[in-house]
Amino acid sequence: LMLVEQLFRNVAEDSRWNAKPLCIGLAVTFAFDLYLFSDATLFGHLDADAAKVRGAVHALATPLLLAAFRRRKDWIGRLQISRSAVFYSATLLLAGGYLLFMSAVGYYVRYFGGGWGRAMQLGLLSAGLAFLCVLLLSGSMRSRLRVFVAKNFFSYRFDYRDEWLRFTTLLSTRGSPLEVGGLVVRGLADLVESHAGSLWSRAEGGDSYGETMRWNLVAANERERADGAFCTFLRTEGWVVDVDEFRRSPRLYGGLSLPNWVLASPDLWLVVPLIAGEELVGFVTLARPRAPLELNWEVRDLLKTASRQAAGILAQMYATEALLEARKFEAFNRMSAFVVHDLKNIVTQLSLMMKNARRLHANPEFQQDMLLTVESSLDKMRRLMLQLREGAAPPGGSHGVELAPLLRRLAALGQAQGRAIGAECDEGLATRGQEERIERVLGHLVQNALDATPAQGQVWLKGSRHSGQVKVVVGDNGIGMSEEFVRNKLFRPFSSTKANGMGIGMYESFQYLREIGGAIEVESAPGRGTVITVSMPLFDAHAGSELQAPVHS
């Protein structure tokens, strides 16, 4: 009563005419209840006469409430009731009504069925409950009820917020394009209560669309050309094609000619194009819905909007898959370039050996050295082939690598080419890594220094310990490099100052040094030579770790 009084007091003066019937009706109801329960509280029992007429008094307020509703006709529009609440409430009411009907039939059978009345009643109720369960689990019945609620209780057929959130959540599932394609079909089918569908898409570089995914449909072994009339119509117009409407009035679709496999199928109902930008990613065919559904402008607009979002996600998935494939090829090509570069070095070594073989072939020491060189080259090529086939780094983990023997071998490499290389290194100096790859990095730097220095020039190597790191300096007084080349091109692949160079060695060296926690610094100037300082982590040979035995070649 206090709330009613506050309502009437705070209503604007010009609106009290609308509120009077409502306030009077509620006041009568609440005032009678106040009298009834106050009397019961005072005397300890309900007034039987007042309790009997309580329902009638409440009924007297109904005309006043109806009068208030008629005076304010927009009250229904201001009510916000979710579609789910209406759907489940309607389901509950129907189930309750069904149970009441079955109970009434059961009681009728019990009282008028003679000796078998109770048995028949129990059997009838059991059958009725089983039939009720079938109805509640029937997708067709749910679809019909959902369509009935949308048509008769709401001005719009769809709750766009719920539909959009559900559709977006469905398509957000991660997976392959085939899995996402299945979700696209399911999502579009759920919008129109369809129970089956299929996705038609085009393979990369293909000239036709084929069925890539189907759901509750028979496989259609057909192809539609991308430049055909059907696909061209879908791409240019972007219409949702109603197959039944096309059969009745084909002129509504202009010059469209549906394929025979569409017209011959009695189950196909809609063809929904999937357009991303100006490209037809594919199209979806949907079967007839479980409940009759009018394909009006609202349904068409929802399908168009949802299909464009689905097409964008599918196009992104296809592009991502193509990018991953391109990256795999890029990684393979990069690895192939590294392998070719290493093979070039092996070929150079073997060519030099064959050149010296013409004048030293009778020398026993040269023959022994030649056999060791050939054996080492074969071993390197086997490892390169394994690396190329498996796409992995060279076998073997990181070990302690002693640098003094390694630098001596590099100096011997220069002597084999008739060049003197000065080499200095602290004994016991070691770093961590793969000896073969470290030797390859330093050997590449030494070979570059030899190539950039004339026969009378100088090339030197120096290994030392510095601030907890290993420093290896490779220097020469050759032709040098410009500052611009060092800054912008030296460590980029396929950039080289040599006429027959591949531009891979410095890039590979830089990548490996960075991988093991090292660095490389270059000081160079045209005509003044080059000094390259390689920094690598220091390995303590006395910390209990075992140095890898050096490999002589």
Side-chain angles (χ1 to χ4, degrees), residues 45 99 143 154 165 180 188 208 246 280 336 366 388 456 474:
H45 61 85
L99 290 176
S143 298
F154 296 93
L165 288 176
V180 176
L188 294 177
S208 62
F246 179 85
L280 181 66
S336 301
F366 175 78
L388 184 63
Q456 65 276 15
V474 181

Side-chain angles (χ1 to χ4, degrees), residues 342-478:
D342 294 337
L343 287 176
K344 181 177 73 70
N345 292 337
I346 295 174
V347 169
T348 302
Q349 186 178 9
L350 293 176
S351 299
L352 180 63
M353 183 189 66
M354 293 301 298
K355 180 179 179 181
N356 293 331
R358 292 188 177 92
R359 58 186 180 86
L360 299 174
H361 62 277
N363 189 332
E365 295 183 359
F366 175 78
Q367 294 175 358
Q368 184 67 24
D369 184 66
M370 181 178 66
L371 290 176
L372 292 176
T373 302
V374 172
E375 183 179 359
S376 174
S377 299
L378 287 174
D379 185 59
K380 290 180 180 179
M381 285 189 287
R382 290 191 188 99
R383 285 196 292 267
L384 290 175
M385 291 178 62
L386 179 65
Q387 179 182 354
L388 184 63
R389 182 173 64 249
E390 297 182 355
S398 296
H399 302 278
V401 180
E402 194 170 358
L403 293 178
L406 192 151
L407 296 186
R408 286 196 293 267
R409 291 199 300 272
L410 293 178
L413 175 65
Q415 292 177 358
Q417 301 181 32
R419 304 288 296 274
I421 298 178
E424 300 179 12
C425 184
D426 299 339
E427 290 297 330
L429 187 64
T431 186
R432 179 176 292 278
Q434 295 176 349
E435 182 175 6
E436 180 186 352
R437 298 194 70 179
I438 293 177
E439 184 174 359
R440 186 191 308 172
V441 169
L442 298 179
H444 174 74
L445 298 179
V446 171
Q447 188 62 50
N448 282 352
L450 292 174
D451 293 341
T453 307
Q456 65 276 15
Q458 296 180 352
V459 176
W460 64 91
L461 288 169
K462 183 177 181 181
S464 61
R465 186 192 311 253
H466 181 75
S467 299
Q469 285 188 316
V470 172
K471 299 280 189 180
V472 178
V473 177
V474 181
D476 66 75
N477 59 356

Side-chain angles (χ1 to χ4, degrees), residues 1 4 7 21-31 61 64-65:
L1 286 172
V4 172
L7 172 64
L22 175 63
C23 293
I24 293 173
L26 294 177
V28 169
T29 301
F30 295 149
L64 296 172
L65 299 180

Side-chain angles (χ1 to χ4, degrees), residues 36-312:
L36 176 64
F37 294 111
S38 298
D39 180 78
T41 303
L42 289 174
F43 297 101
H45 61 85
L46 282 174
D47 185 343
D49 295 333
K52 290 180 180 179
V53 299
R54 185 189 179 203
V57 173
H58 286 189
L60 292 176
T62 304
L64 296 172
L65 299 180
L66 290 176
F69 294 155
R70 290 182 60 84
R71 291 185 180 184
R72 189 65 182 267
K73 295 183 179 181
D74 62 341
W75 68 276
I76 295 180
R78 301 177 66 181
L79 292 179
Q80 297 296 328
I81 305 176
S82 69
R83 294 172 183 264
S84 297
V86 175
F87 174 76
Y88 289 115
S89 298
T91 303
L92 184 61
L93 288 175
L94 290 176
Y98 176 78
L99 290 176
L100 289 175
F101 172 75
M102 293 305 299
S103 300
V105 174
Y107 277 109
Y108 176 82
V109 171
R110 178 179 180 182
Y111 287 114
F112 297 97
W116 291 92
R118 180 170 176 77
M120 294 178 63
Q121 178 195 30
L122 294 176
L124 186 61
L125 288 178
S126 299
L129 288 175
F131 184 65
L132 177 62
C133 293
V134 172
L135 291 180
L136 293 178
L137 296 176
S138 172
S140 177
M141 289 300 300
R142 289 199 304 272
S143 298
R144 290 176 182 274
L145 181 59
R146 192 175 290 112
V147 172
F148 174 81
V149 169
K151 289 175 61 176
N152 295 279
F153 289 88
F154 296 93
S155 56
Y156 290 100
R157 181 184 299 274
F158 301 100
D159 186 338
Y160 292 100
R161 177 180 175 276
D162 289 343
E163 295 290 349
W164 204 248
L165 288 176
R166 183 177 62 180
F167 189 72
T168 303
T169 302
L170 180 67
L171 297 187
S172 298
T173 305
R174 297 293 181 183
S176 64
L178 183 61
E179 294 172 344
V180 176
L183 296 177
V184 168
V185 175
R186 294 291 298 268
L188 294 177
D190 288 342
L191 292 178
V192 291
E193 302 295 334
S194 178
H195 67 281
S198 63
L199 172 67
W200 294 65
S201 58
R202 179 171 57 173
E204 183 179 0
D207 58 353
S208 62
Y209 293 85
E211 188 180 55
T212 56
M213 186 274 161
R214 66 180 184 276
W215 172 51
N216 294 340
L217 278 183
V218 179
N221 298 320
E222 302 286 345
R223 305 290 299 182
E224 288 297 325
R225 292 189 56 81
D227 55 356
F230 177 59
C231 294
T232 302
F233 178 87
L234 295 179
R235 181 173 57 255
T236 55
E237 300 296 338
W239 290 1
V240 176
V241 179
D242 184 347
V243 179
D244 293 336
E245 185 180 57
F246 179 85
R247 289 192 180 100
R248 294 191 303 267
S249 303
R251 65 180 183 278
L252 296 177
Y253 291 88
L256 173 63
S257 177
L258 284 181
N260 293 330
W261 60 268
V262 175
L263 295 175
S265 175
D267 296 328
L268 289 187
W269 175 47
L270 296 178
V271 179
V272 183
L274 302 177
I275 300 176
E278 301 297 328
E279 179 185 0
L280 181 66
V281 178
F283 57 90
V284 172
T285 61
L286 298 177
R288 302 183 187 281
R290 300 181 181 94
L293 180 68
E294 180 186 359
L295 193 65
N296 56 15
W297 62 270
E298 187 180 359
V299 179
R300 291 178 184 271
D301 286 349
L302 181 63
L303 285 175
K304 286 182 181 179
T305 307
S307 66
R308 286 190 175 273
Q309 182 187 10

